[in-house]
Amino acid sequence: MQYHQDGFRPGNPSLAEQVVPPRSRSNVDVLVVGSGPAGLTLAAQLTAFPGLSVRIVEQRPGPLQVGQADGIACRSMEMFQAFGFAEKVSKEAYWVNETVFWRPDAATGRLARADRIQDVEDDLSEMPHVILSQARVHDFYLEVMAQSTHRLVPDYGCQLIDVKRTGDVEYPVMATLRRSDSTADTPTDDTPEVVHARYIVGCDGARSTVRRALGYRLEGEAARQLWGVMDVLAVTDFPDVRLKAAIQSADHGSLLIIPREGGFMVRMYIELDELDDGERAGDRGVTPETLIAKATAILSPYTLDVKEVAWWSAYEIGQRLSDRFDDVSSDISSDISGDDGDGERSGRTPRIFIAGDACHTHSPKAGQGMNVGMADAFNLGWKLASVIEGRSRPALLHTYTEERHAKAKELIDFDKVISSLFSAKPTSSQEAEQFQQYFQKQARYTAGVETRYEPSMITGGVATQHLSSGLVVGMRFHSAPVIRLADAKPMQLGHVLEADGRWRIIVFAPAGDRGQAGGAVAQLCSFLADDPAGPIRRYTPDGVDVDDVIDVRAVFQGSHRDMDLGLLPPLLTPTKGRLGVIDYQKSFCPDVRNGPDIFDQRGIDRDAGAVIVVRPDQYIADVLSITDRAALAERFDQLMIEPVTRSG
């Protein structure tokens, strides 16, 4: 975290100094509907841009108190780091370190532990897999929003009635809102409010009003399998109650135990009965007592004495998906890499989007719902901001549906398999082992780190992937330990990728290059900042810092003690802010004390070096040769728009 750039300021450095002046609530750049995980991720991302006007509305009367989702994947923790609150989550959360599998012993028929495995493989991520209430995740996002220049707070008790496109050029979408928090004691004016917006994003859940206004449906099939879930404080002699435990009984179904934060509470996902055709979960009259009795039967001969049920629910397993995530294209597989002249596919720019449960739903046992919804929003937020601010072509917005629909489809397919295996009634030990084997095989997927985007206008090909075998085009930037050159601080390189909407160019220096004049790194930096074709000079407006649009970092092969900071090119020690102070946090060296050398760990070609272009959502757009300036310029030329005035 950096501060004091424009002069010394006492107090909490997380609290932005500038407060964006009040703006019209009836004319906004982006209206976010829903303050669940997806909506808050999107709103928090948008508040990183002081020039945007953002409003978020929520039908609930106030912040969430008890959340249904609780599993936080490693990839989501990496994202939380970008927003600045991963450490807070880590401190409060339960860490899922190991998973155990229980099933009947083949000889005795008694429930027994079949295996115990490491939950997250080594070097999968620098972040853990954790469990924390969705409500607390909301709290941290709300804090980010409240401390931003916007001082953004959701409009609670505000219900969306309708959404439609209009013919207005500046604000082409319109939302009709009505207060939903009126009571006999505190009546409110229920006169509808009209909000005009450039873009509207529906993060309003499986019963999304935005999706219905677009005429879309969640299509799919239900498995007709009824499950219950409860958070309990209980006394039990089951020995693995504080480990993630998948339990398959002989005669009573399956149970998944997820320990909760705080050391005492656990969540139990409990298999109930199959539903008849046309029957819904609410038709069975499930009660907390029903769930306790079934969990007790599954755990037998171990005992379960539930002292308190903090929360419970019953649900039907189903996987459903909308075929469109925006209001334009029904052909989500079409090629978006081209530009039809006005930056729009089919002559239109998407103006209304849906994210999270509004466009895909599935069972909760894989722990993906909240994680995938937040990933949707992180994918969309920077794209909206870049287009609104005039930095990127409107065609960029088409990549949201293309990228995220494909990932949602993968999740639906995965969830069908894992749900089926979990509910299976194995007739042999070999069949019983199938679930465990599939679980272990898909661990990288459930950690959220296997997402890979296909080539598009923001994701390149793999012609030079050999320069960096461990940092893969289309996948998230996989962090590794480094030493910051200027102050010898050991840190994770990925932690410089903050959720601030900037592109990153990370230069891995070839052997012998220490940043000296005439070297490959220095020549590249000169091209970026000084050449008329260089992306930084071409796309950075006048009057802002040199790294305001594209942030360049460098990693050198030598020891930090052998480097000379004074030899680095100006782009790696830039002057910034009102006072022209020097930013010393652009250069790094391997940290061999806390792990393998980053060049070896991430498969960087030591002789040639490599250039890694990283999108604002931390996904790798390109792996390029350090000398291929044309390819580097092309990466930004097909995406960005030159400002009216540019630096240089």
Side-chain angles (χ1 to χ4, degrees), residues 31-34 42 57 59 159-165 173-177 199-218 322 324-327 351-355 357-359 380 400:
L31 175 66
V32 181
V33 182
L42 179 62
V57 297
Q59 184 172 341
Q159 181 180 7
L160 177 71
I161 305 301
D162 189 29
V163 174
K164 62 182 179 181
R165 288 183 72 138
V173 284
M174 182 178 74
T176 304
L177 309 173
Y199 301 93
I200 292 179
V201 185
C203 305
D204 48 344
R207 296 180 176 87
S208 171
T209 300
V210 176
R211 187 189 67 245
R212 289 200 303 268
L214 293 173
Y216 302 164
R217 298 178 57 188
L218 291 178
S322 173
R324 287 182 261 183
F325 287 10
D326 63 46
D327 64 331
R351 293 290 181 172
I352 305 173
F353 302 86
I354 50 177
D357 286 353
C359 47
L380 177 60
Y400 168 68

Side-chain angles (χ1 to χ4, degrees), residues 379 383 399-407 453 458 615:
N379 180 287
K383 296 175 181 178
T399 65
Y400 168 68
T401 287
E402 183 196 54
E403 291 185 334
R404 295 309 302 170
H405 188 280
K407 298 306 117 183
Y453 294 130
I458 52 172
R615 299 167 16 168

Side-chain angles (χ1 to χ4, degrees), residues 274-389:
E274 288 190 7
L275 295 169
D276 297 327
D277 288 342
E279 191 178 19
R280 302 300 299 272
D283 299 333
R284 285 296 179 93
V286 176
T287 66
E289 290 72 26
T290 306
L291 302 183
I292 293 170
K294 191 62 183 288
T296 301
I298 295 171
L299 282 172
S300 179
Y302 298 103
T303 61
L304 179 68
D305 181 11
V306 175
K307 302 296 186 180
E308 180 180 330
V309 178
W311 172 80
W312 73 276
S313 183
Y315 63 92
E316 176 186 7
I317 288 180
Q319 296 87 16
R320 295 180 174 86
L321 177 67
S322 173
D323 66 352
R324 287 182 261 183
F325 287 10
D326 63 46
D327 64 331
V328 172
S329 176
S330 60
D331 180 11
I332 56 97
S333 63
S334 61
D335 180 14
I336 62 166
S337 61
D339 185 354
D340 61 9
D342 59 357
E344 301 175 3
R345 185 175 58 204
S346 303
R348 300 178 71 198
T349 294
R351 293 290 181 172
I352 305 173
F353 302 86
I354 50 177
D357 286 353
C359 47
H360 48 74
T361 61
H362 35 82
S363 75
K365 288 184 294 302
Q368 296 299 293
M370 177 169 65
N371 296 284
V372 175
M374 293 188 297
D376 288 345
F378 198 30
N379 180 287
L380 177 60
W382 69 271
K383 296 175 181 178
L384 281 171
S386 187
V387 170
I388 293 169
E389 292 196 330

Side-chain angles (χ1 to χ4, degrees), residues 167-240:
D168 187 82
V169 174
E170 188 173 8
Y171 297 101
V173 284
M174 182 178 74
T176 304
L177 309 173
R178 178 177 288 120
R179 299 301 306 179
S180 60
D181 55 1
S182 177
T183 66
D185 296 329
T186 58
T188 59
D189 182 4
D190 63 356
T191 302
E193 176 189 3
V194 174
V195 176
H196 300 274
R198 289 188 169 89
Y199 301 93
I200 292 179
V201 185
C203 305
D204 48 344
R207 296 180 176 87
S208 171
T209 300
V210 176
R211 187 189 67 245
R212 289 200 303 268
L214 293 173
Y216 302 164
R217 298 178 57 188
L218 291 178
E219 303 286 354
E221 299 179 356
R224 298 208 311 267
Q225 180 63 53
L226 183 63
W227 282 76
V229 56
M230 59 180 181
D231 287 332
V232 298
L233 292 165
V235 176
T236 180
D237 58 355
F238 180 68
D240 289 342

